[in-house]
C-alpha cells in the first residue's frame, strides 16, 4: 500500500465527520450557537466552503455584513445618494445600495432594517405626495408593497418588526405625532412632539391597526432613534431618558428609564441588541463613553458593562471631534463608531479595549439635515418573506 494512501486513511480516521454528507453536516452546524459556527469555518477547507455555498447558507446563521447610509452633495445630481459599506471596509459592496430589483419609484428612502428585511418609503412618479412602503429582502430580492396610511407622507418615525424564528410575517410601526395628527394649539402639552397614535400594519392580516396613546403615557421619539425588535416587542429610545416598549398591536406596554441622562436627539444615547440583551450607549458629560446592559428586564435595572474616556478611546487625533455609535455587533462585545469630519468608520473591541480603523466614508457621508442614520444589515438567505410577489 502506498504511503499516500496511509496518510489519507489516517486523516479520515481522525475526523469523525468525514463520512457525513454535506447536508447532514450543515444541519448539525445550523443548530449550534453563532459563536461556535464562527469556529467551524476554521476546521477545514470543506467546512469553510459549506458556509459560502448558496445551497447551504440559507440554513446557516449570518453575521453583520455592513451598513446602509446616505450622503449629500449639493454639487451633484442627484444631491442625495445611497451607499453600502462592508463591515470589513474592503471589497465590492455586499449589497447593491440602489436596490435595483424593486419597482421603479421617483425616490426611495431606507427607514429601518430588522433581521434581514429592509423597510423603505418609496415616492411615486405620478404624485409627489403619494407613496408606498416596501418591505424587501436584498439577499433574495423578494419584496412586498405595504399600503400607506393617511399620515404616511408626513410621519417622521416608522419602524419594522420581524423575527424569522417566530414567523415569516412582519409588522410596520408608524408613530404619528401631534403635528401630523393636527392637535389644536390650546390642547398641546409640555411633551413637545408627543406621539398621538401608533399605527401598526400586519402582513398576516393585511391591514393597519390604530391605537391612540393615553394622556398619562406621554412620549416623543427622536427622528433617528434606533429600534430593537425582540420577543415580539418593539423597543425605542425616547426623549426624557426613557425606552418605550410596544406590542405588535401598537399598545404601550411599559416604559424603562435609561441609565444615564440623554441629550435629546443625540445619537450617542441609544439602544442596541447584542448577545440577546438590550444595550444602551451614552456619552457621559461629553468626556466618556458608557455601555450599559439591561440585566433585569422586569425591574428595568441596567448594569454598567464598559466605560472609557474619549481621550483613551480616540487619542489626540479624534478626541475633539463628534462621533456616533451606529451599531453593536450582534454576537460580540464590539461597537461601531463613525467619527470626525471625514466620517471615519471604526470598530471598538470592549474586551481588549482596542479601536480599529475600517474605512473613511468621506465628507459626502452626511445627509443635509442632522446625523446620518447608518443602518446595520445582517443578510437573510431563507425565503422568509410572506406574501412576496
Amino acid at each position: 500500500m502506498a504511503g499516500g494512501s496511509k496518510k489519507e486513511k489516517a486523516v479520515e480516521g481522525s475526523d469523525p465527520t468525514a463520512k457525513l454528507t454535506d447536508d447532514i453536516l450543515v444541519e448539525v452546524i445550523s443548530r449550534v450557537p453563532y459563536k461556535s459556527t464562527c469556529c467551524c469555518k476554521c476546521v477545514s477547507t470543506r467546512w469553510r466552503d459549506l458556509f459560502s455555498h448558496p445551497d447551504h447558507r440559507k440554513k446557516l446563521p449570518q453575521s453583520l455584513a455592513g451598513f446602509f447610509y446616505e450622503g449629500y452633495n449639493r454639487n451633484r445630481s442627484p444631491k442625495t445618494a445611497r451607499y453600502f459599506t462592508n463591515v470589513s471596509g474592503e471589497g465590492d459592496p455586499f449589497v447593491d445600495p440602489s436596490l435595483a430589483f424593486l419597482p421603479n419609484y421617483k425616490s426611495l428612502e431606507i427607514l429601518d432594517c430588522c433581521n434581514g428585511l429592509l423597510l423603505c418609503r418609496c415616492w411615486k412618479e405620478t404624485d409627489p405626495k403619494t407613496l408606498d412602503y416596501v418591505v424587501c429582502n436584498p439577499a433574495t430580492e423578494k419584496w412586498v408593497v405595504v399600503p400607506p396610511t393617511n399620515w404616511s407622507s408626513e410621519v417622521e418615525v416608522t419602524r419594522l418588526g420581524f423575527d424569522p424564528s417566530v414567523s415569516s410575517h412582519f409588522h410596520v410601526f408608524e408613530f404619528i405625532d401631534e403635528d401630523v395628527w393636527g392637535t389644536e394649539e390650546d390642547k398641546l402639552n409640555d411633551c413637545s412632539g408627543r406621539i398621538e397614535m401608533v399605527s401598526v400594519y400586519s402582513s398576516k392580516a393585511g391591514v393597519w391597526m390604530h391605537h391612540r396613546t393615553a394622556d398619562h403615557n406621554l412620549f416623543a421619539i427622536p427622528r433617528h432613534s434606533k429600534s430593537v425588535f425582540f420577543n415580539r416587542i418593539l423597543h425605542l429610545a425616547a426623549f426624557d431618558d426613557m425606552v418605550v416598549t410596544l406590542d405588535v398591536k401598537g399598545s404601550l406596554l411599559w416604559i424603562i428609564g435609561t441609565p444615564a441622562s440623554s441629550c435629546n436627539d443625540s445619537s450617542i444615547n441609544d439602544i442596541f441588541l447584542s448577545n440577546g440583551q438590550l444595550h444602551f450607549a451614552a456619552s457621559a458629560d461629553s468626556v466618556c463613553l458608557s455601555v450599559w446592559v439591561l440585566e433585569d428586564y422586569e425591574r428595568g435595572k441596567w448594569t454598567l458593562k464598559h466605560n472609557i474616556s474619549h481621550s483613551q478611546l480616540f487619542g489626540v487625533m479624534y478626541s475633539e471631534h463628534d462621533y456616533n455609535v451606529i451599531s453593536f455587533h450582534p454576537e460580540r462585545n464590539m461597537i461601531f463608531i463613525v467619527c470626525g469630519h471625514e466620517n471615519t468608520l471604526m470598530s471598538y473591541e470592549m474586551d481588549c479595549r482596542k479601536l480599529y480603523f475600517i474605512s473613511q466614508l468621506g465628507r459626502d457621508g452626511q445627509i443635509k439635515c442632522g446625523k446620518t442614520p447608518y443602518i446595520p444589515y445582517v443578510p437573510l438567505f431563507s425565503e422568509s418573506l410572506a406574501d412576496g410577489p
Side-chain angles (χ1 to χ4, degrees):
M1 184 178 289
S5 298
K6 289 182 180 179
K7 185 176 181 180
E8 288 174 5
K9 282 196 170 186
V11 171
E12 183 177 334
S14 64
D15 181 7
T17 67
K19 294 183 179 180
L20 296 179
T21 66
D22 286 353
D23 289 340
I24 294 177
L25 188 55
V26 167
E27 188 66 31
V28 173
I29 296 174
S30 68
R31 298 174 184 271
V32 302
Y34 177 81
K35 288 183 178 179
S36 299
T37 65
C38 293
C39 298
C40 291
K41 294 181 183 180
C42 304
V43 171
S44 67
T45 303
R46 178 199 177 195
W47 285 44
R48 182 197 64 197
D49 292 343
L50 288 177
F51 279 81
S52 60
H53 196 286
D55 292 341
H56 301 313
R57 62 187 182 185
K58 294 179 180 179
K59 293 183 178 181
L60 297 174
Q62 303 296 318
S63 188
L64 182 67
F67 303 92
F68 288 96
Y69 65 99
E70 288 190 350
Y72 177 83
N73 188 329
R74 63 182 180 181
N75 298 318
R76 180 189 57 205
S77 180
K79 291 182 174 60
T80 301
R82 186 166 55 254
Y83 304 91
F84 184 89
T85 183
N86 296 339
V87 72
S88 65
E90 301 175 349
D92 294 332
F94 184 85
V95 180
D96 178 4
S98 70
L99 305 178
F101 62 91
L102 293 180
N104 209 12
Y105 286 95
K106 181 180 180 181
S107 63
L108 181 151
E109 177 186 8
I110 299 176
L111 302 177
D112 197 13
C113 182
C114 186
N115 291 317
L117 298 188
L118 297 182
L119 171 64
C120 306
R121 181 160 48 194
C122 305
W123 300 90
K124 298 181 179 180
E125 290 277 3
T126 52
D127 185 347
K129 293 184 179 181
T130 305
L131 62 87
D132 288 326
Y133 287 121
V134 174
V135 176
C136 67
N137 184 343
T140 62
E141 298 191 351
K142 299 291 185 181
W143 50 272
V144 172
V145 174
V146 175
T149 68
N150 295 332
W151 307 276
S152 296
S153 61
E154 300 179 75
V155 167
E156 288 193 341
V157 180
T158 308
R159 297 293 179 262
L160 180 65
F162 172 65
D163 186 350
S165 66
V166 176
S167 171
S168 61
H169 291 279
F170 60 83
H171 294 83
V172 178
F173 296 79
E174 201 174 63
F175 293 86
I176 302 161
D177 64 32
E178 57 189 3
D179 292 331
V180 176
W181 182 253
T183 304
E184 297 177 8
E185 188 172 349
D186 61 343
K187 295 183 179 180
L188 296 177
N189 48 67
D190 294 336
C191 182
S192 178
R194 66 157 286 182
I195 301 302
E196 292 279 356
M197 185 169 72
V198 180
S199 296
V200 181
Y201 178 86
S202 164
S203 65
K204 184 176 183 179
V207 295
W208 287 91
M209 298 176 290
H210 308 289
H211 190 92
R212 288 293 303 273
T213 56
D215 289 337
H216 60 277
N217 287 326
L218 305 179
F219 66 93
I221 302 172
R223 181 182 178 186
H224 294 316
S225 176
K226 307 288 185 184
S227 67
V228 172
F229 185 79
F230 74 112
N231 295 333
R232 289 180 59 82
I233 297 173
L234 187 73
H235 306 69
L236 296 102
F239 286 110
D240 298 328
D241 310 330
M242 65 177 72
V243 174
V244 294
T245 63
L246 303 100
D247 63 19
V248 293
K249 295 181 180 180
S251 300
L252 183 66
L253 297 178
W254 56 85
I255 292 174
I256 304 171
T258 60
S261 296
S262 59
C263 183
N264 293 334
D265 201 12
S266 172
S267 65
I268 301 175
N269 299 271
D270 222 327
I271 58 169
F272 305 87
L273 186 65
S274 180
N275 294 300
Q277 289 183 296
L278 201 66
H279 287 68
F280 183 83
S283 176
D285 299 322
S286 299
V287 296
C288 66
L289 173 65
S290 300
V291 175
W292 304 72
V293 61
L294 188 61
E295 296 280 7
D296 191 332
Y297 197 92
E298 293 184 358
R299 297 182 181 180
K301 183 180 179 181
W302 299 86
T303 301
L304 182 63
K305 180 175 182 177
H306 192 83
N307 191 63
I308 185 169
S309 70
H310 291 166
S311 59
Q312 290 177 313
L313 179 61
F314 299 112
V316 177
M317 185 176 179
Y318 292 102
S319 60
E320 299 300 323
H321 296 312
D322 291 335
Y323 70 98
N324 299 331
V325 176
I326 64 171
S327 180
F328 277 49
H329 195 283
E331 302 90 13
R332 297 167 58 183
N333 289 326
M334 175 189 289
I335 62 178
F336 294 90
I337 295 169
V338 170
C339 176
H341 299 305
E342 295 296 331
N343 292 292
T344 304
L345 175 62
M346 296 174 285
S347 64
Y348 174 66
E349 289 271 12
M350 287 183 279
D351 293 338
C352 62
R353 302 177 76 88
K354 288 186 178 180
L355 187 69
Y356 298 94
F357 170 86
I358 298 177
S359 65
Q360 280 191 330
L361 306 180
R363 292 175 182 261
D364 191 38
Q366 290 181 326
I367 57 175
K368 185 178 181 181
C369 53
K371 295 174 290 294
T372 305
Y374 296 88
I375 298 176
Y377 172 68
V378 176
L380 176 68
F381 290 101
S382 62
E383 302 291 334
S384 296
L385 184 56
D387 302 326

